[in-house]
Amino acid sequence: MKRFSLRRLVPFAAAALAVVLLAGSCQPTAPAAQTPAPLSAPNRQTAPPLPVAAPGAVQPNAVPAPGAPTSDASRPAAIEFARSFNVLNRDWETYRRSYDEWRQKNACGEPAMGESLGAFVANFQKIKKVVAELPEAQLSREVVERLVEAVEKEESALAELRTSWKPGDESAFQKYEAARFVTDRLRRQAAQGIDDLAVASQATSQAEIDKYRQALAPIDRDWDALNNSFDSWRRTLPGNDKGGDKDAQKAATDTLEKLASSAKGIFDRVLALPRPVLIQKAADLLVAAAEKQNAAYGKLAAGWKPGDDTSVAAFDKDRAEVGRLRRDSTLGVDAIAVAGTTDNKTLLARLTGQHEQLGKAWSDFRVQYDTWRSKGGDCDRNSMRQQMGERVTSFHALALRAYALPQSAAVRPLADLITQATEREEAALRQLRDSWKPYDSSFFQAYEKEWAAIDRVRRQAAAGLTDLMQKSNVSAADIAQ
């Protein structure tokens, strides 16, 4: 928006008058430009109400038309008005410059929000660094993996907050804060894992784990034997042709039924195993494996006929899944059991210390963010509203001077124009103060947009004053005295 330069208003009026006087010394005076019809001044409390003419009507106190005779009484009035008018415009321009400087320095604009969010993203790297330094070992692998996932999710959510935030839009903050619930769940799981390892490292826990392993050992041997027996059964299956050995076919069916019965026995024995809380998850995997194996054998025994390769192939898929569950169960027990070794106790102490350091850093970051968020960012709202109130007060003092401009008949239309301009700007400034919200420049822009219309009215007044000075034979030297 191109702004009218008030600093040049006094030279403009003087220069315009000098040009007219110089031209008058060389040739007959040319008719001056028609002064715009004066606008009626809004009602105000600080000055008596002025008469308002109908649109297009000529007011009795209007500036004389070009070439019309001017009373000698208008000359002192023009000089007095011009002096007050020029000082007022100079101070008005000073106010605008002061506003621009204040507007650029305030900490409540969109750039300030971007800087704050960028600082949070940068500060979060300290947390990421602590996670990267956690010990990489079999004992701590599951814990560390959860913490790495948690820090990556929160970092990603912070980066998205920084890039997607828009003035007046809370959804970006809400999305980041919702992502923190997922992060916190992963952190709780990691903390629980460390606590479990600490308990598992104690002698009493190691004794419970040993008891479970001892009870499981014969079951594992019988389980492996069952698998071997099934492999032998499949290798010796008879054909299903008419000339086949009926006795061999019956023997195969009987053997399959015995295998299914053995699977049921293994399932019952697994259910009866002691299940220490520390290895509950691993023990549950073993139960799931035994249950799946029992169901697979029962299905195969009920539906298989000699020569039925389809049923055997389906059973093989189930058996592969059973094998995976058994391996995961064994690894889970082993991972807890190794916490009791001397080396792993040392590793666990290191992991615990680093986890506490991480928790403090993460907590400090959250407190900093939550405090910043609860007060709406770095913007001091109370101070900002106070500053805007001071600007309204400052401009109101300037407006009072506009109302106090000379009001004689010759200059009253010009005074009305200046009054209209000041009242319009003061109203826009009050609207800014009352509607403003932090980190949203649209409120300032709405106020500044009014300047174009306000400055057009001020230029009308300046042009009318130049005409009046010309007709009243007022020079720049007269105004300067």
Side-chain angles (χ1 to χ4, degrees):
M1 176 179 65
K2 187 174 181 180
R3 193 185 305 165
F4 174 54
S5 178
L6 300 180
R7 287 174 292 179
R8 299 180 180 175
L9 186 56
V10 176
F12 169 79
L17 179 60
V19 169
V20 171
L21 295 177
L22 179 61
S25 66
C26 301
Q27 59 185 33
T29 303
Q34 178 65 43
T35 303
L39 303 176
S40 60
N43 291 335
R44 60 182 184 273
Q45 297 178 353
T46 55
L50 300 175
V52 180
V58 177
Q59 299 186 45
N61 60 352
V63 177
T70 304
S71 170
D72 291 340
S74 67
R75 190 171 188 277
I79 293 174
E80 180 187 8
F81 185 88
R83 288 173 178 170
S84 299
F85 179 81
N86 288 337
V87 173
L88 177 67
N89 278 319
R90 180 198 63 201
D91 293 345
W92 204 326
E93 179 64 11
T94 299
Y95 166 80
R96 290 274 186 87
R97 286 198 303 270
S98 172
Y99 167 87
D100 285 337
E101 293 171 358
W102 169 77
R103 169 95 154 80
Q104 294 299 321
K105 290 189 297 185
N106 84 76
C108 297
E110 289 99 323
M113 174 59 79
E115 291 173 3
S116 295
L117 294 176
F120 280 115
V121 173
N123 289 340
F124 194 77
Q125 298 307 305
K126 299 175 184 177
I127 297 172
K128 191 175 181 181
K129 181 179 179 181
V130 176
V131 172
E133 293 172 350
L134 292 173
E136 296 182 2
Q138 181 65 37
L139 178 71
S140 60
R141 179 174 299 168
E142 186 174 350
V143 169
V144 172
E145 284 177 352
R146 282 187 166 82
L147 291 174
V148 168
E149 184 180 359
V151 79
E152 288 178 348
K153 284 184 179 298
E154 185 152 345
E155 181 187 32
S156 176
L158 270 173
E160 185 175 355
L161 168 60
R162 178 184 58 185
T163 56
S164 62
W165 174 83
K166 293 183 178 62
D169 181 13
E170 289 291 302
S171 63
F173 290 105
Q174 293 166 357
K175 189 173 182 180
Y176 162 64
E177 287 154 17
R180 297 199 322 188
F181 287 107
V182 178
T183 297
D184 289 343
R185 183 174 67 250
L186 291 167
R187 291 176 62 193
R188 286 193 299 271
Q189 291 173 351
Q192 184 60 54
I194 293 175
D195 290 343
D196 289 346
L197 290 173
V199 174
S201 67
Q202 299 173 4
T204 55
S205 299
Q206 291 293 312
E208 290 181 356
I209 295 172
D210 287 342
K211 183 178 179 180
Y212 175 84
R213 282 174 154 177
Q214 290 169 8
L216 177 59
I219 299 176
D220 277 337
R221 288 194 296 269
D222 292 345
W223 205 325
D224 292 338
L226 175 63
N227 286 334
N228 293 332
S229 296
F230 175 81
D231 292 337
S232 298
W233 173 82
R234 185 166 52 182
R235 285 194 301 269
T236 59
L237 284 178
N240 193 31
D241 55 304
K242 293 182 179 180
D245 187 341
K246 299 299 182 182
D247 291 338
Q249 292 175 358
K250 184 178 183 306
T253 302
D254 292 343
T255 301
L256 181 57
E257 290 176 355
K258 292 178 181 179
L259 294 176
S261 178
S262 296
K264 176 64 168 61
I266 289 173
F267 175 56
D268 292 339
R269 291 163 65 192
V270 168
L271 286 178
L273 283 171
R275 298 163 75 179
V277 175
L278 287 173
I279 57 171
Q280 182 74 50
K281 182 178 178 181
D284 288 345
L285 290 176
L286 189 65
V287 170
E291 184 177 21
K292 190 173 187 67
Q293 176 175 260
N294 182 48
Y297 268 109
K299 182 179 179 181
L300 181 63
W304 179 81
K305 299 296 181 184
D308 181 8
D309 294 335
T310 302
S311 296
V312 176
F315 176 84
D316 282 339
K317 289 183 180 179
D318 288 336
R319 194 166 74 144
E321 177 63 15
V322 169
R324 185 188 67 80
L325 291 171
R326 283 185 69 193
R327 286 191 298 274
D328 289 347
S329 175
T330 300
L331 291 173
V333 173
D334 291 346
I336 299 295
V338 295
T341 66
T342 302
D343 289 344
N344 280 332
K345 285 182 178 179
T346 302
L347 178 66
L348 180 59
R350 176 187 166 196
L351 175 63
T352 301
Q354 288 178 303
H355 183 256
E356 290 175 356
Q357 178 187 355
L358 173 64
K360 183 179 184 307
W362 217 318
S363 177
D364 290 346
F365 176 84
R366 291 283 186 82
V367 169
Q368 181 187 15
Y369 171 86
D370 290 342
T371 302
W372 172 84
R373 179 85 165 96
S374 65
K375 68 178 184 178
D378 296 319
C379 175
D380 187 337
R381 287 163 169 74
N382 293 332
S383 175
M384 191 68 176
R385 291 191 177 98
Q386 180 181 352
Q387 292 174 46
M388 286 192 286
E390 291 170 354
R391 301 210 72 79
V392 171
T393 301
S394 175
F395 191 85
H396 182 66
L398 188 146
L400 292 177
R401 290 166 55 194
Y403 304 153
L405 286 171
Q407 296 287 326
S408 64
V411 297
R412 184 172 294 175
L414 307 178
D416 288 348
L417 289 172
I418 294 301
T419 297
Q420 181 187 25
T422 53
E423 289 185 341
R424 182 166 183 172
E425 181 150 351
E426 185 173 10
L429 189 56
R430 289 181 184 276
Q431 177 66 20
L432 168 62
R433 179 198 62 188
D434 296 340
S435 63
W436 170 84
K437 293 181 181 178
Y439 305 113
D440 191 342
S441 62
S442 64
F443 299 100
F444 294 103
Q445 292 165 359
Y447 164 57
E448 293 157 13
K449 187 177 180 180
E450 289 291 304
W451 290 359
I454 293 167
D455 290 347
R456 278 196 297 272
V457 177
R458 294 169 67 192
R459 285 193 294 272
Q460 279 185 283
L465 178 57
T466 301
D467 290 343
L468 180 60
M469 291 167 60
Q470 175 187 340
K471 294 164 189 171
S472 302
N473 296 318
V474 176
S475 67
D478 293 330
I479 298 174
Q481 291 178 355

